[in-house]
Amino acid sequence: MNLRKIVTVVEETQAEGGRPVEPAARVAVVAAIIENPWNGQGFVEDLAPGIDANASDLGALLAPRVLDALGEPAEAYGKAAIVGLDGEVEHGSALIHTLKFGDHFRKAADATTLLPAVEKRAPAGVVFDIPLKHITDATIRSHHQTIEVRIADAPHADEIVVALAAASQGRPQQRLASLKTEQ
């Protein structure tokens, strides 16, 4: 894995809807900007060697960092892969949609649900939203949320931004009824 940089963002919401949020709602994102492992190879039929060489290392790098940045137990989580313009969306998907990547985060967060994801191809500086859901029950509405991310100089055309996000709680001031009330 050719790593160019790591970006960490922590957002803390102190008030929402004119009321204090107690405790403050924290969301952390840690993104690794790496060289696309399939860059310059044309269409690659078998992505498995690139997955094997990179996905687990990325998960092992990002999972503890995002939880450290959050500074408290995660209740919601998500992931992202933003591929530079010379790559394919499938390149980002290959890195993040494998247990070799995601299980690092699931184990570190004591989670059981699938990680919600965003993946797309875009130029440097693109704004992207990482969806988050509850770590053990994806039907808990209060934890369906997103965090907006932008890295000014990434991804370069030959890079991929791979990111993990974690939240300490659900949306601030959430008050939607449980999904069970509609079933």
Side-chain angles (χ1 to χ4, degrees):
M1 168 174 55
N2 290 327
L3 177 67
R4 179 166 67 89
K5 72 191 236 180
I6 296 173
V7 175
T8 302
V9 176
V10 179
E11 177 180 287
E12 189 170 279
T13 302
Q14 300 283 330
E16 181 75 24
R19 295 183 176 199
V21 175
E22 296 174 355
R26 292 176 58 88
V27 182
V29 177
V30 176
I33 294 86
I34 65 165
E35 180 182 1
N36 183 332
W38 299 281
N39 183 55
Q41 298 178 37
F43 186 86
V44 177
E45 188 68 39
D46 183 6
L47 299 177
I51 295 167
D52 291 343
N54 295 282
S56 183
D57 290 343
L58 276 167
L61 173 72
L62 295 175
R65 285 178 182 250
V66 73
L67 293 174
D68 286 347
L70 186 62
E72 51 194 289
E75 289 188 10
Y77 66 170
K79 61 187 174 183
I82 311 303
V83 179
L85 294 177
D86 287 349
E88 300 172 40
V89 172
E90 190 70 0
H91 296 161
S93 296
L95 294 174
I96 68 170
H97 291 302
T98 173
L99 296 177
K100 293 172 184 177
F101 175 77
D103 274 355
H104 289 282
F105 201 8
R106 270 185 285 282
K107 288 175 185 167
D110 199 24
T112 55
T113 58
L114 292 176
L115 280 152
V118 62
E119 57 267 80
K120 66 185 197 178
R121 182 176 44 224
V126 67
V127 174
F128 57 97
D129 289 347
I130 302 176
L132 294 98
K133 294 200 178 192
H134 195 276
I135 64 169
T136 60
D137 184 347
T139 68
I140 297 176
R141 289 180 176 174
S142 60
H143 289 61
H144 293 196
Q145 56 189 311
T146 60
I147 183 162
E148 185 176 279
V149 182
R150 179 182 177 272
I151 302 170
D153 70 341
H156 291 170
D158 63 348
E159 292 179 331
I160 302 175
V161 174
V162 176
L164 291 178
S168 63
Q169 61 190 45
R171 295 182 310 277
Q173 315 297 14
Q174 78 80 26
R175 51 201 177 271
L176 296 179
S178 166
L179 180 62
K180 294 174 184 163
T181 65
E182 294 183 28
Q183 296 176 330

